[in-house]
Amino acid sequence: MMNADMDATAAGGEAAALHEAYALATAFLASLPQRPVSQVPTPAEMAVALDEALPENGRDPAGVVGEWFARAERGITASPGPRFFGFVNGGVTPAALAGDWLASAIDQNAGLWAGSPAAAQTELVVLRWLQELFGLPAEWAGALTSGATMANLVGLVTARQWAGRQLGFDAAGDGLAGQPSIAVVASSEIHLSAVKCLGTLGFGRNQVRRVAARCGAADVDALAGLLRGIDGPVILIGNAGEVNSGHFDDLAALADLRDGHPGGAWLHVDGAFGLFAAVSPRLAHLVRGIERADSVAADGHKWLNVPYDCGFAFVRDGSLLREAFAVGGAYVAGGAGWDPFTHVPEMSRRFRGLAAWCALKAYGRAGYRALVERCVDNAAAFARWVDETPGVELMNPAPLNIVCFRLVRAGLDELASDELNRLAVRAIQSDGRAFVTGTVWQGRAAIRAAFDNWRTTPADVRLLQEAVAQVGASLSA
Ligand SMILES: *Cc1c(COP(=O)(O)O)cnc(C)c1O
């Protein structure tokens, strides 16, 4: 193998390396329908496959790419394939993938206008298209982020700025120390990413006050009661799609509570995947009232089916958002156009807007409506099968694209039943036909299947059913 140098002569190796990556990628994509979704390797097996000392001397880039793939392959999950139903992972459409490759090749810094007018303007257009797709007001500000966690952070940092202003201080400028506390209220089904943000923002992960969520949706009367006991400004976090079974808070009712709170309130909605209900007239009732929120977070790498990583935040009051992230600096002063870094935590950023632009342009509103409805139909078909099949039961109705279920066996007590379902998750993953993940729903171990991949067909849903049925039968034997 030749040794690679990083001088101008290296350009010759570029095409060879890209060809190698292309060959590996196309072979991988072609294998998705047959490939085991996961081989569930152990950490020890992956360490044996990959760990080594830093090489003193290099080798040719094409060889490096090929070597990595061969050594890591056992640990590559077929998550862009049609039968990965774990978490809420999305797939990657051809248009998004091509856009993402091009974004890496042209390597734009999408942090500021001066870094790339093309990237900054593309992001602006993508944000406006997304606002149109979801029916959010065009005057809102937005930002592309690395995912819904960072989109939650963008919304909540703006909420913190608003609350500080209500109390007479500048939260981003002067910090929270010595200031009156700001109440954060949510349901028991608040996503852990939002909890993580509350820790990052200085509110404290343990300070969020939670009301019960019957069947996944916040108990509005309990929320009203909680708010009555709070004098000052409140940050209210609602769910548009909780992660275990896809249920929605009554967002219009939450907006009413926000409007009625004497101390003022900010409504932030986590719509990581659930915001996509707005794309279908059949499902839009689930997000009724979301346009009354103060900030909304969602994911691109879930239901938009663009590659990791991509999310987006929308904020009603763009000036508060900019205040929250404003920093002056002579060397980045004043681009002629939009500087994305004034709306997000980072400075330099990946040009993730290109994959989203290509996807929205290639498939349009109608394409996304069809995708969302197909996924919801697949989820409904699976939920119906669960409902009708002895030995499995639904934990909660499935209003959108996540089915929460469990295996049931006569004569098992709660503990044994929980153990059976934990074993079943691992056994289904090891089986390789389909990938599901486990959870705990209202104190009981359960299994989740999420449907948000453009490749999934009804035949894939039947394979999932077969895998669940066979694993269930063999565990009972
Ligand atoms: C996935 C998810 C998040 C976190 O999103 P990331 O993209 O993983 O950062 C937040 N909220 C909900 C409801 C989610 O499903």
Side-chain angles (χ1 to χ4, degrees):
M1 281 302 152
M2 80 181 140
N3 203 349
D5 291 315
M6 271 191 286
D7 61 24
T9 61
E14 213 159 65
L18 289 175
H19 277 295
E20 179 66 14
Y22 176 82
L24 290 165
T26 48
F28 173 76
L29 294 173
S31 78
L32 283 174
Q34 299 83 35
R35 173 180 281 268
V37 186
S38 171
Q39 300 184 48
V40 206
T42 63
E45 286 170 324
M46 290 313 294
V48 167
L50 282 170
D51 281 1
E52 63 180 31
L54 172 70
E56 189 58 37
N57 296 301
R59 59 169 296 196
D60 64 305
V64 166
V65 170
E67 179 185 331
W68 179 83
F69 196 92
R71 289 172 62 178
E73 185 160 10
R74 223 178 115 64
I76 299 176
T77 308
S79 46
R83 290 184 307 282
F84 187 95
F85 302 104
F87 313 109
V88 203
N89 284 23
V92 180
T93 60
L97 178 57
D100 197 61
W101 277 20
L102 189 59
S104 287
I106 62 178
D107 194 27
Q108 304 291 283
N109 183 346
L112 68 182
W113 181 268
S116 176
Q121 188 64 44
T122 302
E123 287 202 7
L124 271 182
V125 171
V126 163
L127 289 164
R128 204 187 64 233
W129 282 353
L130 290 169
Q131 281 162 287
E132 286 180 40
L133 183 65
F134 300 125
L136 294 174
E139 324 70 79
W140 288 20
L144 291 185
T145 65
S146 58
T149 305
M150 292 306 269
N152 276 329
L153 188 81
V154 167
L156 292 171
V157 82
T158 316
R160 187 184 67 173
Q161 195 64 16
W162 165 84
R165 289 293 179 209
Q166 296 296 108
L167 293 165
F169 69 97
D170 172 3
D174 299 326
L176 300 181
Q179 301 292 355
S181 72
I182 296 163
V184 181
V185 171
S187 86
S188 58
E189 298 309 314
I190 180 175
H191 193 269
L192 53 91
S193 69
V195 174
K196 202 171 175 203
C197 292
L198 295 171
T200 308
L201 289 168
F203 290 123
R205 289 197 299 263
N206 304 328
Q207 299 304 315
V208 55
R209 301 162 74 168
R210 304 170 196 226
V211 300
R214 277 195 226 105
C215 298
D219 179 333
V220 174
D221 292 336
L223 266 181
L226 185 56
L227 287 176
R228 273 195 296 277
I230 301 172
D231 290 332
V234 171
I235 297 170
L236 176 56
I237 302 176
N239 277 329
E242 55 73 34
V243 78
N244 283 310
S245 52
H247 283 254
F248 289 72
D249 290 343
D250 181 342
L251 300 175
L254 264 52
D256 288 342
L257 289 180
R258 184 264 327 264
D259 292 345
H261 185 62
W266 179 282
L267 176 57
H268 172 77
V269 176
D270 179 348
F273 59 90
L275 180 58
F276 284 75
V279 175
S280 161
R282 250 173 62 189
L283 304 162
H285 63 276
L286 294 168
V287 287
R288 194 178 61 89
I290 198 163
E291 71 290 346
R292 294 173 60 198
D294 297 291
S295 51
V296 174
D299 253 317
H301 51 226
K302 288 178 181 166
W303 228 341
L304 199 64
N305 277 246
V306 298
Y308 292 99
D309 43 21
C310 181
F312 21 91
F314 302 104
V315 176
R316 174 184 303 280
D317 186 341
S319 63
L320 273 174
L321 168 57
R322 285 184 289 278
E323 204 176 282
F325 286 120
V327 280
Y331 88 113
V332 290
W338 189 50
D339 289 321
F341 83 87
T342 57
H343 289 60
V344 292
E346 306 96 319
M347 298 285 288
S348 300
R349 302 159 68 239
R350 174 172 179 72
F351 181 19
R352 57 179 69 86
L354 181 51
W357 190 91
C358 290
L360 290 163
K361 183 79 176 168
Y363 310 114
R365 188 194 295 278
Y368 276 99
R369 175 181 170 180
L371 166 67
V372 165
E373 292 181 351
R374 202 162 67 233
C375 291
V376 171
D377 289 345
N378 284 336
F382 182 67
R384 214 161 33 242
W385 175 82
V386 168
D387 214 25
E388 292 166 354
T389 304
V392 274
E393 70 177 16
L394 281 177
M395 301 295 281
N396 204 23
L400 195 69
N401 65 331
I402 300 178
V403 181
C404 187
F405 66 102
R406 67 139 108 207
L407 301 181
V408 281
R409 291 293 173 269
L412 290 188
D413 63 16
E414 287 282 309
L415 277 181
S417 191
D418 284 352
E419 183 56 19
L420 171 72
N421 279 280
R422 280 192 292 268
L423 283 173
V425 169
R426 287 199 291 277
I428 294 166
Q429 291 176 351
S430 304
D431 171 83
R433 265 175 294 182
F435 195 97
V436 294
T437 45
T439 189
V440 173
W441 181 251
Q442 297 184 338
R444 294 149 73 195
I447 309 173
R448 297 168 64 259
F451 299 76
D452 54 344
N453 188 310
W454 69 281
R455 292 180 191 269
T456 306
T457 65
D460 295 309
V461 178
R462 285 192 293 277
L463 278 170
L464 169 65
Q465 291 165 191
E466 283 169 29
V468 170
Q470 286 172 14
V471 162
S474 67
L475 284 178
S476 301

